[in-house]
């Protein structure tokens, strides 16, 4: 599991550790890890042209000490000072190692915009994790100069200008080719849009003792542990029966696709409940399904219901004892009354915006905030689909899944996910675990399917067994 902590949690852990260590030890650990990461990123050190953008915070000190290490190994290191209060010890170390430091246009230090234009890498040591979103004009100008000339930026801890604790990017910010962070990952590393601005994130262990995280990202081992694998005494009923109320005469394909997603999960049987003509189409594609009412262990409801949406019936099922995945048109039946703790909703940003009566752009800009808000308001687990999927439980627990390929942005992919998550619910997982496992396997299957290029929803569903096989054999 990868965990992301808040700024407050990190600050407290750093203070506790610094009280037990000689002064400056923590910064030296960070600087060593940063220097190694920059060397690995460049593929060399000797002769590399490295420019450090230095603000007044401690991450400017990290960058300066890392620059000194690189300079001692033969790099040409230039520090562009964006504040009058750069870290004194770091500046002294850099100059002693042969590096240059000064403000842009500093004739005495021979610092000019050409240093940035011709650099092999620019290191963002402008603002630390305690900084507010946005960049000051002089910092923004330096960052934009690097971007215009295609110079990659390595961010120290977090890209300067993003909101560290929310993943929001309301102001201009750094877009990093690599982020090197210390002690633990921060929420902005997991949550878009800031996660995209981070690029790949490299974690340097500096010895922090941290409390439980605010946000977690389950990895393959965690997903393997949760996946409901059948045992020797299993039968189709003990493995779970999923009821599917999806598709319509208007959108029969949604029923076929959602069924494919469900059958790609651990469920023992799928029971389709819907129009006869649609049931015929589902049976033609998936002859193992049964149709008509009967006992189920969970429901997946909503994909492609269109004009045949039966809100009273759906609300009746939401209030029953079986857990429910609610997707697409089915979300129109959700209200903020009653006990919905066994309900997993799977909206995209536009659908969540309609539920909360806000603009879609607002949800996309503040994904974590609105996923949590909906989970609390409707007492459900919210799986907010996107490049990084946010799964928020009503008790405040949050997980993130970010392993999907952009090829997954294709019609019907959400129907596959709804069916898969329903299958996992029927297999006995909680809504939070079903959403977490479903999002991970959905992304893994899409990656397998996309090896040869563009994919369809049905090719993602077809890849689910192979993705599960890879997961369980490791």
């Amino acid at each position: 599991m990868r965990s992301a902590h808040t700024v407050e949690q990190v600050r407290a852990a750093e203070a506790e550790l610094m009280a037990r260590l000689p002064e400056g030890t923590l910064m030296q650990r960070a600087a060593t890890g940063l220097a190694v990461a920059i060397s690995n990123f460049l593929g060399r050190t000797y002769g590399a042209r490295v420019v450090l953008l230095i603000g007044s915070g401690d991450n400017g000190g990290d960058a300066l000490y890392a620059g000194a290490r690189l300079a001692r190994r033969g790099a040409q290191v230039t520090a562009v000072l964006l504040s009058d209060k750069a870290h004194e010890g770091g500046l002294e170390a850099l100059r002693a190692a042969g590096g240059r430091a000064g403000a842009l246009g500093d004739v005495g230090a021979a610092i000019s915009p050409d240093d940035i234009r011709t650099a092999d890498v620019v290191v963002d040591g402008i603002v630390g994790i305690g900084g507010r979103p946005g960049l000051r004009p002089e910092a923004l100008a330096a960052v934009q100069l690097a971007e215009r000339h295609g110079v990659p930026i390595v961010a120290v801890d977090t890209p300067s200008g993003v909101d560290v604790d929310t993943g929001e990017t309301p102001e201009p910010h750094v877009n990093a080719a690599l982020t090197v962070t210390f002690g633990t990952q921060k929420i902005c590393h997991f949550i878009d849009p800031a996660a995209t601005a981070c690029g790949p994130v490299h974690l340097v262990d500096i010895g922090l003792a941290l409390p439980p995280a605010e946000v977690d990202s389950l990895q393959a081992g965690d997903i393997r542990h949760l996946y409901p694998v059948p045992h020797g005494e299993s039968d189709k009923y003990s493995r779970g029966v999923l009821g599917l109320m999806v598709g319509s005469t208007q959108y029969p394909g949604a029923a076929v696709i959602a069924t494919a997603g469900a059958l790609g999960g651990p469920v023992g049987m799928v029971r389709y409940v819907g129009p006869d003509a649609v049931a015929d189409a589902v049976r033609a594609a998936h002859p193992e399904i049964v149709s008509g009412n009967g006992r189920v262990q969970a429901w997946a409801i909503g994909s492609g219901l269109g004009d045949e949406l039966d809100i009273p019936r759906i609300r009746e099922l939401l209030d029953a004892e079986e857990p429910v995945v609610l997707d697409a048109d089915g979300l129109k039946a959700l209200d903020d009354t009653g006990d919905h703790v066994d309900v997993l909703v799977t909206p995209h940003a536009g659908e969540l915006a309609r539920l909360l009566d806000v603009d879609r752009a607002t949800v996309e800009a503040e994904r974590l905030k609105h996923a949590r808000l909906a989970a609390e308001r409707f007492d459900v687990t919210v799986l907010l689909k996107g490049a990084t999927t946010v799964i928020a439980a009503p008790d405040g627990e949050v997980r993130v899944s970010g392993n999907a390929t952009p090829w997954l942005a294709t019609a019907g992919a959400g129907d596959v996910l709804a069916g898969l998550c329903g299958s996992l619910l029927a297999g006995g997982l909680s809504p939070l675990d079903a959403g977490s496992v479903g999002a991970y396997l959905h992304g893994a299957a899409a990656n397998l399917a996309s090896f040869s290029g563009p994919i369809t929803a049905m090719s993602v569903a077809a890849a689910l067994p192979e993705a599960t096989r890879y997961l369980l054999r490791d």
Side-chain angles (χ1 to χ4, degrees):
M1 182 183 297
R2 294 190 298 148
S3 298
H5 291 79
T6 65
V7 172
E8 182 179 0
Q9 289 175 316
V10 173
R11 291 294 196 213
E14 288 175 341
E16 190 276 333
L17 182 57
M18 286 190 290
R20 298 187 284 107
L21 295 174
E23 184 177 356
T25 301
L26 214 56
M27 183 171 285
Q28 295 303 326
R29 289 179 181 178
T32 298
L34 177 59
V36 171
I38 292 170
S39 290
N40 290 339
F41 176 79
L42 290 170
R44 72 188 199 284
T45 303
Y46 188 83
R49 293 164 296 181
V50 179
V51 170
L52 316 174
L53 302 181
I54 304 299
S56 59
D58 283 347
N59 74 332
D62 298 335
L64 287 165
Y65 279 118
R69 286 165 169 75
L70 295 171
R72 287 197 295 269
R73 295 176 58 192
Q76 302 172 34
V77 183
T78 301
V80 175
L81 306 182
L82 301 171
S83 169
D84 296 332
K85 298 180 179 180
H87 192 279
E88 291 183 4
L91 270 177
E92 182 179 341
L94 177 65
R95 285 170 170 149
R100 296 180 298 139
L104 274 179
D106 187 335
V107 176
I111 308 275
S112 78
D114 282 341
D115 289 301
I116 295 176
R117 294 189 190 101
T118 61
D120 295 308
V121 68
V122 165
V123 179
D124 164 25
I126 302 168
V127 179
I129 61 174
R132 287 179 284 186
L135 296 170
R136 292 183 176 179
E138 62 275 14
L140 179 60
V143 169
Q144 290 176 335
L145 182 61
E147 291 175 344
R148 283 198 303 273
H149 290 273
V151 182
I153 300 176
V154 173
V156 180
D157 221 356
T158 62
S160 293
V162 306
D163 191 312
V164 178
D165 275 349
T166 68
E168 298 166 15
T169 56
E171 302 289 341
H173 56 85
V174 168
N175 288 288
L178 172 71
T179 295
V180 182
T181 196
F182 312 114
T184 182
Q185 290 179 302
K186 286 71 181 178
I187 292 172
C188 65
H189 297 144
F190 283 4
I191 305 290
D192 269 326
T196 298
C198 292
V201 179
H202 175 72
L203 176 62
V204 176
D205 184 3
I206 56 174
L208 298 184
L210 291 152
E214 286 281 321
V215 177
D216 291 313
S217 177
L218 301 191
Q219 304 301 294
D222 308 303
I223 301 298
R224 186 183 312 119
H225 176 74
L226 290 173
Y227 194 88
V229 178
H231 52 75
E233 301 300 315
S234 296
D235 59 34
K236 62 186 177 184
Y237 298 106
S238 63
R239 288 180 60 191
V241 179
L242 174 66
L244 277 176
M245 187 181 292
V246 295
S248 59
T249 52
Q250 185 181 9
Y251 301 114
V256 174
I257 294 169
T259 304
L263 293 171
V267 75
M269 187 169 79
V270 173
R271 181 182 297 279
Y272 179 74
V273 179
D276 290 342
V278 181
D280 290 342
V282 173
R283 276 194 299 269
H286 308 291
E288 57 269 71
I289 70 105
V290 296
S291 60
N293 291 310
R295 181 164 177 78
V296 301
Q297 276 74 54
W299 285 96
I301 300 171
S303 304
L305 288 179
D307 295 338
E308 295 168 22
L309 176 69
D310 185 346
I311 288 179
R313 173 60 174 151
I314 294 173
R315 287 180 174 168
E316 182 180 308
L317 293 174
L318 290 176
D319 292 333
E321 62 181 19
E322 293 83 12
V324 175
V325 175
L326 200 60
D327 182 49
D329 295 317
L331 294 167
K332 297 172 184 175
L334 189 64
D335 58 32
D336 56 5
T337 63
D339 178 4
H340 296 148
V341 293
D342 287 331
V343 175
L344 171 66
V345 301
T346 57
H348 55 59
E351 291 164 339
L352 189 62
R354 287 192 290 274
L355 278 174
L356 296 173
D357 195 23
V358 297
D359 293 333
R360 177 175 184 144
T362 301
V363 172
E364 290 175 335
E366 302 172 339
R367 292 174 57 78
L368 177 60
K369 172 183 173 180
H370 287 91
R372 280 176 160 162
L373 178 62
E376 180 180 359
R377 178 179 300 179
F378 297 102
D379 200 25
V380 297
T381 297
V382 176
L383 187 158
L384 176 56
K385 294 177 284 197
T388 53
T389 295
V390 179
I391 307 112
D395 65 359
E397 187 171 355
V398 175
R399 294 175 182 166
V400 175
S401 183
N403 67 328
T405 168
W407 288 117
L408 192 51
T410 187
D415 303 341
V416 175
L417 179 62
L420 174 59
C421 288
S423 180
L424 292 160
L425 275 184
L429 296 191
S430 69
L432 179 63
D433 287 342
S436 303
V437 175
Y440 183 94
L441 284 174
H442 192 235
N447 279 300
L448 287 173
S450 67
F451 281 164
S452 57
I455 60 177
T456 65
M458 289 296 281
S459 67
V460 174
L464 283 170
E466 185 180 6
T468 305
R469 177 172 60 85
Y470 281 127
L471 174 78
L472 296 181
R473 79 176 186 181
D474 287 343

